[in-house]
Amino acid sequence: MASGDDSPIFEDDESPPYSLEKMTDLVAVWDVALSDGVHKIEFEHGTTSGKRVVYVDGKEEIRKEWMFKLVGKETFCVGAAKTKATINIDAISGFAYEYTLEINGKSLKKYMENRSKTTNTWVLHLDGEDFRVVLEKDTMDVWCNGKRMETAGEFVDDGTETHFSVGNHDCYIKAVSSGKRKEGIIHSLIVDDREIPEILE
């Protein structure tokens, strides 16, 4: 006589059975910090079926069920600015594979090193909410929690100020010359007349 104890494990669980398969084929996860936020890229590679699935922030971007060629690359876009990303699949030996992520044609490490030179990032807590503010130094675009902000620039005695609002808070990014060629221009975020420390991503 069959009792209820020999039922499949996932019967009482809300998740469908395919979630078990998903966990076995997940081979790589990357967190990529872009101006509009930090994006999670997940890659599934079925080394027997050749299946390839790319998720960006939990949303399926690419699905290829049967691929005879187990190595190669998958290219897709990430974030509001549609940044180009490529996952390279290379065989190391036998059935071992290496997965590398490129952003805009650069390795993730090189891209992030370059990004730290071209952007400033601040995280602040206002009215019980966290905000991530990013300045793109080349365009002077300001992003806050994934949205490009309306800004107004103004020249002041010792540099420039780029003004914008977060909720009902007055914010501006002050750009001042460091006086040293190696350091260049120093950017500071001022919110309600107090300076917010920069974070390094």
Side-chain angles (χ1 to χ4, degrees):
M1 201 161 105
S3 71
D5 295 340
D6 53 9
S7 60
I9 306 165
F10 47 74
E11 194 167 272
D12 300 331
D13 191 359
E14 289 299 303
S15 59
Y18 66 79
S19 65
L20 292 174
E21 177 200 321
K22 179 183 183 220
M23 298 320 285
T24 58
D25 287 341
L26 187 67
V27 293
V29 179
W30 296 275
D31 286 322
V32 181
L34 300 177
S35 296
D36 66 331
V38 179
H39 299 279
K40 182 184 226 96
I41 297 171
E42 297 171 286
F43 183 55
E44 290 181 26
H45 187 217
T47 52
T48 47
S49 65
K51 177 181 84 169
R52 298 178 189 178
V53 188
V54 176
Y55 297 93
V56 177
D57 300 326
K59 186 175 161 283
E60 191 175 292
E61 289 294 316
I62 296 172
R63 176 176 286 271
K64 293 180 178 167
E65 284 301 340
W66 290 96
M67 302 280 292
F68 291 108
K69 199 171 171 207
L70 291 175
V71 295
K73 53 179 64 182
E74 293 298 337
T75 299
F76 51 98
C77 293
V78 180
K82 300 275 180 237
T83 304
K84 184 180 156 203
T86 302
I87 295 173
N88 295 301
I89 307 154
D90 297 298
I92 304 171
S93 64
F95 292 102
Y97 296 89
E98 181 180 61
Y99 307 95
T100 52
L101 179 66
E102 290 178 2
I103 304 290
N104 278 344
K106 294 185 180 85
S107 73
L108 182 60
K109 185 175 188 284
K110 277 252 183 303
Y111 177 80
M112 296 318 283
E113 283 168 4
N114 184 54
R115 192 173 158 70
S116 68
K117 295 177 194 143
T118 60
T119 61
N120 292 81
T121 304
W122 298 271
V123 172
L124 56 147
H125 194 73
L126 293 174
D127 306 326
E129 233 184 300
D130 285 328
F131 293 93
R132 180 177 178 270
V133 176
V134 177
L135 167 69
E136 292 181 352
K137 293 190 251 193
D138 50 352
T139 59
M140 291 306 285
D141 282 343
V142 176
W143 293 75
C144 180
N145 285 6
K147 293 185 181 70
R148 189 181 287 132
M149 304 301 287
E150 288 286 324
T151 61
E154 117 182 31
F155 289 98
V156 291
D157 288 346
D158 52 353
T160 62
E161 291 178 359
T162 303
H163 291 262
F164 60 100
S165 297
V166 173
N168 53 7
H169 297 271
D170 292 324
C171 311
Y172 65 92
I173 295 173
K174 191 172 177 81
V176 181
S177 171
S178 65
K180 301 182 188 96
R181 193 189 317 184
K182 260 206 157 64
E183 282 179 46
I185 294 172
I186 296 169
H187 295 87
S188 320
L189 173 63
I190 315 295
V191 178
D192 298 334
D193 297 324
R194 72 186 171 94
E195 189 172 333
I196 307 299
E198 186 181 352
I199 64 157
L200 297 169
E201 292 188 298

